[in-house]
Amino acid sequence: MTSTPSGRDSRQAKIAAAAPPDPGRNRLVFGVLLALVIVGSIVAAITLGSRTSPTATSAATGTSVVPPGASGMGEGVNITTGTLKAGAPTLDIYEDFQCPICKEVHAILGTTTNELAASGDAKVVYHVLSFLDDNFKNSFSKPVANAAMCAAPAGKFREFHDAAFEGQTKEGQDVPAAALDGFAAKAGITGSALDAWKTCRTANTYATYIASVQDAASRAGVTGTPTYRLNGTEIKWTATPTPDALKQAVAAATKK
Amino acid sequence: VTGPLGNRPWQEWVTLVARLILGGALLLAGALKVTSPLVSARAVQAYQILPFDLAAYVGYALPIVEIILGLLIVLGLYTRITAALGALLMVVFIAGIASAWARGLSLDCGCFGGGGQIGAADTQYPQEIARDLLFAACGAWAFARPHSALSLDHRLFGRS
């Protein structure tokens, strides 16, 4: 009447199956599995996210062309035409062609900054940013920025820049191609220079440079536009910016 | 009449509401940001607290962390630990916002997407902190009274 070993095993198996599962053990095993999935998701998110950074995306596709007026990747375009006076400060202007407030401030200060650049009272450097395209998920800041850089070889960057702000189209929507042609015409780009501009615009020649400027500005702590910096210090406007306030700030920053 | 751990039955429903508020907010915040990792990275960088590159990694990871945590809290899975983590995350957010405020930065908190610098008159630091305090309180409650109605903790693991 003794049970065979196999019979005892099957009886024990039945007892084990009938016993309620240990909730604490299930909880632990499931929790560990869940934790692994979570860690995996976070690693994946960081890896995928890193691939969207401007330097990473442009390094994969872009060229290494820097526009005339910029001293290298990440550097702004110097629009100073006059001989720089002794002790003249550097005025760094960070703006995004899609930003409506940049248009407003440029309408107020543009004439003055152009005068400062022409007289050599300040070294005026435009840092053309493009982060609003990422915020709105549209195509505006980057194509206009590239088209503006395409005007630089013809010596018309500043003219194109001013025309692009004056004729700024609606924020959040893609910029129409016709608008870019209009800016080029208003900037006075004609003939073979216009052909070169069109080729450059279509080829997106300065995509890498524009990404590098955005990256450099972010690293320099520029988190919004427009930002005006004199010798590296942000100008804090007490109220609405005025030409007089800018002139005074430049005078105060000029080394005697 | 008390349940396990001295929970009263009505408290299980309060915990459910707390879970839905905190978990729902985290889920929404994560979902609105997860498709724009670059914008999320810049929002974290704008606080100028972490080193630039580390801030980017935090920005990439944050939306997915919020989604997972929010989902677990809404489902009521590991309520005690996830509620504690949710409340802790809110305390970190509050500290970040308060720090930006104290340093005179003009930031959109970037809590539900967006972020970065805004006009000084457009900042909403008190409202943002108050909102996160509410979420933190929900997390604290669910941590203290983790047993709740309609939770996977009950379904899967019983009233352990």
Side-chain angles (χ1 to χ4, degrees), chain B residues 52-71:
Chain B
F52 188 78
D53 291 311
L54 181 61
Y57 293 137
V58 171
Y60 299 143
L62 201 52
I64 199 76
V65 168
E66 288 175 326
I67 287 175
I68 293 171
L69 206 51
L71 202 62

Side-chain angles (χ1 to χ4, degrees), chain A:
Chain A
M1 287 297 284
T2 53
S3 55
T4 61
S6 64
R8 189 159 56 230
D9 278 356
S10 74
R11 194 157 59 238
Q12 275 178 349
K14 276 176 195 162
I15 291 166
D22 177 1
R25 191 187 139 88
N26 283 352
R27 204 179 151 83
L28 185 66
V29 171
F30 191 62
V32 168
L33 288 176
L34 197 61
L36 287 175
V37 171
I38 292 169
V39 170
S41 306
I42 292 170
V43 171
I46 291 175
T47 311
L48 290 173
S50 302
R51 284 189 201 150
T52 66
S53 80
T55 29
T57 46
S58 60
T61 54
T63 58
S64 57
V65 187
V66 172
S71 56
M73 282 291 169
E75 304 288 339
V77 179
N78 180 1
I79 64 157
T80 314
T81 48
T83 310
L84 207 58
K85 292 180 180 166
T90 299
L91 176 62
D92 287 298
I93 301 174
Y94 300 83
E95 50 192 12
D96 186 314
F97 280 121
Q98 188 170 190
C99 147
I101 305 173
C102 298
K103 174 195 161 96
E104 281 177 35
V105 173
H106 181 259
I108 297 168
L109 300 181
T111 310
T112 308
T113 49
N114 287 341
E115 284 169 6
L116 292 168
S119 64
D121 282 321
K123 179 183 172 188
V124 181
V125 181
Y126 279 125
H127 303 254
V128 177
L129 305 190
S130 48
F131 67 100
L132 287 176
D133 269 12
D134 304 315
N135 286 13
F136 288 112
K137 295 188 178 175
N138 69 347
S139 178
F140 187 141
S141 311
K142 289 170 192 173
V144 181
N146 178 68
M149 299 308 157
C150 291
K156 299 289 188 186
F157 168 80
R158 187 188 61 74
E159 289 80 355
F160 189 103
H161 166 278
D162 293 353
F165 272 123
E166 282 158 26
Q168 187 186 59
T169 56
K170 196 166 166 30
E171 184 189 35
Q173 295 176 3
D174 289 357
V175 67
L180 297 179
D181 292 331
F183 302 152
K186 199 168 177 196
I189 304 172
T190 53
S192 62
L194 185 62
D195 295 335
W197 176 83
K198 281 180 178 164
T199 308
C200 168
R201 190 196 76 187
T202 315
N204 211 5
T205 304
Y206 294 104
T208 305
Y209 165 75
I210 287 157
S212 75
V213 172
Q214 175 62 59
D215 209 43
S218 298
R219 283 178 190 276
V222 177
T223 52
T225 52
T227 295
Y228 283 65
R229 286 184 175 176
L230 258 179
N231 285 340
T233 307
E234 185 172 351
I235 305 176
K236 296 281 186 190
W237 309 102
T238 45
T240 312
T242 61
D244 283 344
L246 178 59
K247 284 176 196 164
Q248 283 165 15
V250 168
T254 304
K255 294 190 186 77
K256 300 286 174 340

Side-chain angles (χ1 to χ4, degrees), chain B residues 28-138:
Chain B
L28 181 67
L32 289 172
K33 289 184 290 202
V34 75
T35 52
S36 315
L38 188 54
V39 177
S40 178
R42 287 191 185 133
V44 179
Q45 286 163 346
Y47 283 84
Q48 299 173 35
I49 293 174
L50 299 170
F52 188 78
D53 291 311
L54 181 61
Y57 293 137
V58 171
Y60 299 143
L62 201 52
I64 199 76
V65 168
E66 288 175 326
I67 287 175
I68 293 171
L69 206 51
L71 202 62
L72 290 174
I73 292 172
V74 165
L75 293 174
L77 198 50
Y78 299 96
T79 302
R80 199 169 163 85
I81 185 163
T82 53
L85 290 174
L88 196 67
L89 196 56
M90 289 301 159
V91 170
V92 171
F93 292 160
I94 291 166
I97 294 167
S99 154
W101 193 5
R103 284 176 293 148
L105 301 178
S106 300
L107 297 185
D108 173 332
C109 74
C111 305
F112 294 92
Q117 189 182 321
I118 51 174
D122 299 325
T123 57
Q124 298 195 310
Y125 295 126
Q127 295 94 317
E128 287 165 355
I129 289 175
R131 187 190 54 205
D132 286 358
L133 274 174
L134 168 76
F135 297 146
C138 288

